């Protein structure tokens, strides 16, 4: 039910955006790296910064939503992040590392955001956020400007929410399955040789407690080489819909 | 028949026991199915932990291991290369005992009585089992290298079992002076960790290079014409250690005819080679306990049923890891860990009501060539009537970017933390 609701909402948001801001909508819907020349000529410098930040957010949008009406994904919803204490969302399961940092008083100021984006693990050593960091300081400043300035309903979902229903989404068949968590537990034996059951990240990302659909999508992205990685492509080559659904069910439950 | 809740039944049973018998705890222990695991390495520790964890107390698990701590062979080359400390590759069994309820017995298993279903310990005591897991690793076939022996290994270490041998090798490597050579005799197939000797050679070269011993060489006398990840290692040696590594196959040296560890020489048909450090890695066979139990064939390793990891010779015994014949799977820690999970599910299915899922196996082996220059090889496997057969695989490519090699190295660190946690229940 929730999925259908979000999809409908997303579709209407996309539509609203298409009407209001054609350039931006096109950009988020297609390749994010494409130069936004249409914006360059017409907008003032600040807007330029903002728009560059928007395209940079493509690096984050795989895991983060940026609209108050949308659910958490692999990472917490980042709407209104400026000035928010770390680990503040009730309905997101943060890592122990993030919760500890919050207890030590970490608040998402512009500066804290900048440092976190530059190198997440230098700010929160054991964070479960699997992002390598952004080296370019100007790019980070642009991104933070966008993150902190975005208004409700402005940011269109980047996930492939096709207008003709969820059927065309990658991994849709597996998402429609119940997922046998006991089978998933057995299958997880292969995964936990590399991905720690505790979710700890010591060189290989934690995969515990992800929302089912995001988990399924990630595995299909490896399977179809949308995300390319030798190990994960091999791992997923032997997993069918049933197996992937089972694993998603198990790992989601493991995070509870 | 009226239904009695499980809890109520347990209370009744316990009540009866206390009234009529003096030693209820023994009665309880005997009522529980017993699994005995010999060998607390990659295969055995994993099997013990999974059976104990997943049966939630319904199965009694005893782990017999002769050493107090376990030093992993995997990453022991990184210790040789100064990338890891010895402590960081040494693990305790405490968490298996306190966190998972495994009874850890620090003793050598001397024999298996398959008819009585008992393991005899070195002190003569007996440990009965319903299902037995043997994961004893390897023993050396010293006589594959003429002149080599267990005593000679105290001077010219093999360091193919981690522990004091590894430390001896490290001490000797650190004592090498400029102009002195290091000689490795590489092992014949099949042996544990196919890329292991070549990763070790890389680590030797790393240490010699770092110390500026530009006149020293590493001479490898191989008994094979080709080896695992050869293109990757050859490229890496050329790039990082030009002129330092001389790898000689038998078609060049004509065969190793003898070693004299006191003189520090290895003789071949071609020439006699002299080194300040001799690292002799002989041929290998299954750990003695498995062979003595009559589970091995002429190859020196134990045939198993690919669908379950059961010994071909005995349905109630499972042989894991280096000691078994695992078809296309290499003898690696990753493989042993993977096989252990298949066996654990089978054993729980045998002894309790739990579901049994079809066997699947996997392996990935990383090797470090030089600082942040990691490579990997991996495959997936499925059981067939004939053997455990490879279904798909990958290998790192030559000419990969430094970034990718660095990521690969970082992954290997993640894997080490992952697999040791998976074996011992903690990274400590
Ligand atoms: C240099 C080197 C590098 C390697 N690198 C890698 C790598 O990068 N990745 C990888 O996956 N693998 C690697 N390996 C291979 C890996 O170490 C082995 O394949 C793996 O340890 C096999 O597991 P096992 O359970 O069969 O045996 P082991 O791990 O050797 O465990 C056997 C245990 O049984 C105990 N034992 C034996 N007999 C008895 C007895 N009678 N009574 C009581 N206890 C007994 C031993 O003390 C030992 O603790 C490497 C090996 C070497 C030598």
């Amino acid at each position: 039910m929730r999925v259908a609701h979000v999809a409908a909402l997303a579709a209407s948001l996309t539509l609203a955006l298409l009407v209001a801001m054609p350039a931006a909508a096109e950009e988020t819907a297609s390749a994010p790296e494409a130069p936004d020349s249409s914006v360059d000529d017409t907008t003032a410098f600040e807007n330029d910064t903002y728009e560059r930040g928007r395209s940079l957010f493509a690096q984050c949008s795989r895991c983060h939503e940026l609209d108050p009406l949308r659910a958490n994904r692999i990472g917490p919803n980042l709407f209104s992040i400026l000035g928010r204490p770390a680990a503040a969302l009730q309905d997101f399961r943060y890592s122990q590392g993030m919760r500890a940092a919050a207890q030590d008083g970490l608040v998402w100021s512009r500066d804290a955001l900048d440092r976190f984006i530059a190198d997440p693990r230098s700010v929160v050593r054991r964070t479960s956020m699997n992002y390598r960091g952004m080296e370019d300081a100007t790019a980070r400043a642009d991104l933070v400007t966008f993150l902190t300035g975005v208004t409700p309903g402005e940011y269109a979902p980047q996930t492939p929410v096709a207008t003709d229903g969820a059927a065309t989404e990658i991994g849709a068949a597996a998402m429609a399955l119940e997922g046998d968590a006991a089978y998933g537990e057995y299958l997880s034996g292969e995964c936990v040789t590399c991905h720690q059951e505790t979710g700890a990240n010591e060189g290989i990302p934690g995969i515990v407690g992800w929302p089912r659909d995001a988990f399924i999508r990630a595995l299909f992205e490896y399977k179809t080489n949308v995300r390319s990685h030798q190990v994960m492509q091999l791992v997923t080559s032997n997993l069918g819909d049933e197996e992937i659904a089972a694993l998603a069910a198990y790992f989601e439950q493991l995070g509870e | 028949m009226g239904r009695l809740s499980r809890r109520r039944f347990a209370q009744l049973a316990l009540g009866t026991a206390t009234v009529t018998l003096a030693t209820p705890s023994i009665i309880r222990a005997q009522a529980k199915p017993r699994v005995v695991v010999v060998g607390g390495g990659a295969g055995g520790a994993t099997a013990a932990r999974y059976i104990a964890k997943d049966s939630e107390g319904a199965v009694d698990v005893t782990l017999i291991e002769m050493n107090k701590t376990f030093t992993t062979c995997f990453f022991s080359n990184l210790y040789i290369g100064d990338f890891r400390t010895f402590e960081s590759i040494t693990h305790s069994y405490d968490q298996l005992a306190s966190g998972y309820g495994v009874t850890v017995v620090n003793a050598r298993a001397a024999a298996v009585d398959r008819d009585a279903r008992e393991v005899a310990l070195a002190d003569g005591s007996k440990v009965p089992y319903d299902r037995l897991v043997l994961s004893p690793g390897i023993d050396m076939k010293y006589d594959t290298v003429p002149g080599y022996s267990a005593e000679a290994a105290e001077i010219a270490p093999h360091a193919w079992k981690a522990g004091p041998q590894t430390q001896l090798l490290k001490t000797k490597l650190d004592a090498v002076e400029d102009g002195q050579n290091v000689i490795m005799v590489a092992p014949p197939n099949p042996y544990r960790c196919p890329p292991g000797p070549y990763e070790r050679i890389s680590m030797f070269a790393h240490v010699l290079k770092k110390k500026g011993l530009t006149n020293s060489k590493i001479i490898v006398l191989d008994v094979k014409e080709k080896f695992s990840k050869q293109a990757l290692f050859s490229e890496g040696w050329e790039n990082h250690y030009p002129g330092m590594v001389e790898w000689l196959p038998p078609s060049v040296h004509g065969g190793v005819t003898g070693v004299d560890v006191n003189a520090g020489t290895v003789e071949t048909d071609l020439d006699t080679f002299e080194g300040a450090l001799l690292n002799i890695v002989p041929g290998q066979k299954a750990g003695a306990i498995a062979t003595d139990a009559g589970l091995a064939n002429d190859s020196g390793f134990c045939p198993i049923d690919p669908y379950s990891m059961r010994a071909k010779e005995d349905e109630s015994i499972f042989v894991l890891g280096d000691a078994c014949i695992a078809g296309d799977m290499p003898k690696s820690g990753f493989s042993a860990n993977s096989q252990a999970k298949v066996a654990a599910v089978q054993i729980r299915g045998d002894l309790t009501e739990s579901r049994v899922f079809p066997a699947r196996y996997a392996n990935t082996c990383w090797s470090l060539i030089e600082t942040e220059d990691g490579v990997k090889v991996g495959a997936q496997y499925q059981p067939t009537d004939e053997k455990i057969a490879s279904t798909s695989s990958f290998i790192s490519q030559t000419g990969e970017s430094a970034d990718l090699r660095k990521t690969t190295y970082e992954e290997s660190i993640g894997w080490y933390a992952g697999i040791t946690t998976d074996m011992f229940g903690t990274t400590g």
Side-chain angles (χ1 to χ4, degrees):
Chain A
M1 294 315 115
R2 205 191 77 207
V3 175
H5 167 72
V6 170
L9 179 69
S12 65
L13 279 177
T14 315
L15 197 65
L17 221 78
L18 272 168
V19 174
M21 316 164 63
E26 200 183 298
E27 185 183 288
T28 42
S30 62
E33 290 87 358
D36 41 356
S37 53
S38 59
V39 179
D40 267 353
D41 316 338
T42 51
T43 48
F45 175 73
E46 309 86 80
N47 279 348
D48 225 29
T49 299
Y50 191 77
E51 288 309 324
R52 274 201 307 269
R54 179 196 296 280
S55 24
L56 287 163
F57 189 69
Q59 296 183 29
C60 325
S61 61
R62 179 154 68 77
C63 302
H64 292 288
E65 291 292 352
L66 197 50
D67 184 276
L69 289 180
R70 295 179 64 87
N72 296 317
R73 299 189 57 196
I74 297 159
N77 194 316
L78 292 182
F79 183 74
S80 183
I81 188 72
L82 187 67
R84 186 166 99 191
L89 297 189
Q90 297 286 319
D91 55 351
F92 183 80
R93 255 192 76 89
Y94 292 94
S95 66
Q96 270 186 0
M98 187 63 81
R99 280 182 277 142
Q103 276 192 336
D104 293 344
L106 179 63
V107 173
W108 295 118
S109 62
R110 272 195 79 99
D111 175 58
L113 283 170
D114 180 72
R115 284 184 289 119
F116 188 63
I117 296 167
D119 181 4
R121 286 204 252 168
S122 74
V123 177
V124 182
R125 197 162 66 85
R126 298 215 157 197
T127 179
S128 56
M129 172 156 133
N130 177 34
Y131 176 72
R132 292 192 138 256
M134 189 181 286
E135 273 180 35
D136 183 343
T138 320
R140 290 200 306 272
D142 293 348
L143 177 56
V144 172
T145 300
F146 172 67
L147 272 181
T148 56
V150 76
T151 55
E154 177 190 333
Y155 186 71
Q158 56 75 52
T159 44
V161 191
T163 36
D164 55 337
T168 54
E169 181 169 359
I170 187 169
M175 289 178 196
L177 297 174
E178 173 90 45
D180 175 349
Y183 185 32
E185 177 171 14
Y186 167 68
L187 294 171
S188 78
E190 179 181 345
C191 323
V192 299
T193 304
C194 291
H195 298 282
Q196 292 183 44
E197 243 165 13
T198 56
N201 178 350
E202 295 179 53
I204 293 181
I207 55 170
V208 169
W210 283 28
R212 259 177 52 108
D213 287 1
F215 191 96
I216 292 172
R217 188 179 303 119
L219 290 191
F220 274 96
E221 282 176 354
Y222 286 120
K223 202 174 163 67
T224 54
N225 217 10
V226 171
R227 280 180 83 175
S228 51
H229 188 270
Q230 281 181 315
V231 167
M232 284 308 300
Q233 197 174 358
L234 177 76
V235 166
T236 49
S237 68
N238 273 357
L239 299 173
D241 289 345
E242 202 64 63
E243 282 73 30
I244 290 182
L247 283 160
Y250 172 69
F251 277 107
E252 183 180 52
Q253 184 187 74
L254 193 62
E256 276 159 14
Chain B
M1 192 182 138
R3 289 179 83 203
L4 213 53
S5 80
R6 211 175 241 208
R7 175 133 186 217
R8 177 93 184 100
F9 180 75
Q11 277 167 352
L12 283 178
L14 194 69
T16 320
T18 349
V19 173
T20 56
L21 292 159
T23 52
S25 66
I26 290 179
I27 293 294
R28 255 207 342 262
Q30 287 185 351
K32 263 200 211 176
R34 293 155 308 192
V35 173
V36 172
V37 180
V38 175
T46 308
R49 178 167 167 268
Y50 270 72
I51 297 166
K53 168 172 80 80
D54 295 338
S55 68
E56 295 171 338
V59 176
D60 214 69
V61 183
T62 301
L63 174 63
I64 302 170
E65 165 58 53
M66 58 187 168
N67 293 317
K68 280 218 146 50
T69 56
F70 184 76
T71 303
T72 58
C73 262
F74 31 106
F75 273 31
S76 68
N77 286 332
L78 274 64
Y79 157 70
I80 303 283
D82 294 324
F83 291 93
R84 297 288 285 221
T85 62
F86 193 74
E87 294 69 47
S88 79
I89 60 166
T90 301
H91 304 266
S92 105
Y93 294 101
D94 293 352
Q95 182 65 18
L96 282 184
S98 64
Y100 296 91
V102 174
T103 307
V104 180
V105 177
N106 183 211
R108 190 174 62 82
V112 178
D113 182 337
R114 283 164 46 192
D115 295 329
R117 290 198 181 176
E118 280 176 350
V119 176
L121 302 183
D123 69 2
S125 56
K126 303 265 192 326
V127 187
Y129 65 82
D130 295 306
R131 288 294 177 276
L132 175 64
V133 176
L134 295 179
S135 194
I138 49 154
D139 273 341
M140 299 298 154
K141 291 199 318 207
Y142 290 104
D143 59 8
T144 59
V145 182
Y148 198 52
S149 63
E151 298 74 52
E154 297 304 318
I155 297 168
H158 51 74
W160 222 245
K161 291 188 184 190
Q165 277 277 307
T166 320
Q167 287 171 304
L168 178 64
L169 180 67
K170 177 64 177 153
T171 309
K172 296 221 163 201
L173 176 67
D174 287 346
V176 170
E177 292 170 9
D178 199 18
Q180 293 182 328
N181 289 340
V182 174
I183 295 175
M184 173 190 272
V185 176
N189 291 322
Y191 61 95
R192 66 163 37 158
C193 195
Y198 311 97
E199 179 183 55
R200 179 172 287 171
I201 290 157
S202 309
M203 294 298 98
F204 285 164
H206 168 79
V207 169
L208 298 185
K209 178 182 164 190
K210 203 176 58 181
K211 289 169 69 179
L213 309 187
T214 48
N215 298 307
S216 293
K217 268 195 175 27
I218 300 150
I219 297 159
V220 187
L221 301 169
D222 215 323
V223 300
K224 308 179 289 300
E225 286 298 327
K226 54 187 176 46
F227 61 85
S228 165
K229 300 182 188 166
Q230 185 159 0
L232 294 166
F233 281 113
S234 302
E235 177 196 52
W237 294 340
E238 233 161 78
N239 287 345
H240 301 299
Y241 316 115
M244 287 180 69
V245 180
E246 260 178 44
W247 177 77
L248 308 178
S251 54
V252 173
H253 63 66
V256 174
T257 52
V259 299
D260 182 338
V261 297
N262 292 309
T265 56
V266 180
E267 210 173 298
T268 68
D269 281 351
L270 176 73
D271 205 349
T272 299
F273 295 87
E274 200 179 327
L277 164 59
L278 306 188
N279 180 199
I280 313 291
V281 188
Q284 295 157 28
K285 61 187 176 191
I289 185 87
T291 322
D292 294 350
L295 301 173
N297 66 15
D298 291 345
S299 72
F301 295 97
C302 306
I304 47 94
D305 164 36
Y307 296 95
S308 64
M309 297 305 301
R310 276 176 221 275
K312 280 265 162 76
E313 290 292 323
D314 191 325
E315 289 214 318
S316 47
I317 303 182
F318 295 73
V319 186
L320 308 179
D322 294 351
C324 78
I325 300 174
D328 294 342
M329 295 185 86
K331 297 189 186 303
S332 75
F334 201 122
S335 296
N337 170 269
S338 172
Q339 294 156 9
K341 291 165 191 173
V342 170
V345 162
Q346 292 286 334
I347 290 170
R348 286 198 298 121
D350 282 6
L351 302 178
T352 70
E353 303 283 88
S354 80
R355 284 165 74 186
V356 175
F357 298 103
R360 328 168 44 100
Y361 305 95
N363 176 63
T364 298
C365 279
W366 287 265
S367 305
L368 185 61
I369 301 178
E370 170 60 300
T371 311
E372 294 186 344
D373 188 359
V375 292
K376 61 189 168 189
V377 54
Q380 296 264 322
Y381 307 86
Q382 263 170 11
T384 66
D385 290 348
E386 188 204 340
K387 63 174 181 180
I388 300 179
S390 166
T391 54
S392 47
S393 64
F394 74 82
I395 183 165
S396 293
Q397 301 299 303
T398 52
E400 283 173 347
S401 73
D403 260 3
L404 179 54
R405 291 296 177 88
K406 178 166 182 256
T407 307
T408 302
Y409 170 61
E410 284 165 357
E411 266 169 40
S412 74
I413 297 174
W415 164 76
Y416 187 86
I419 191 173
T420 50
T421 307
D422 202 36
M423 289 163 63
F424 301 107
T426 164
T427 32

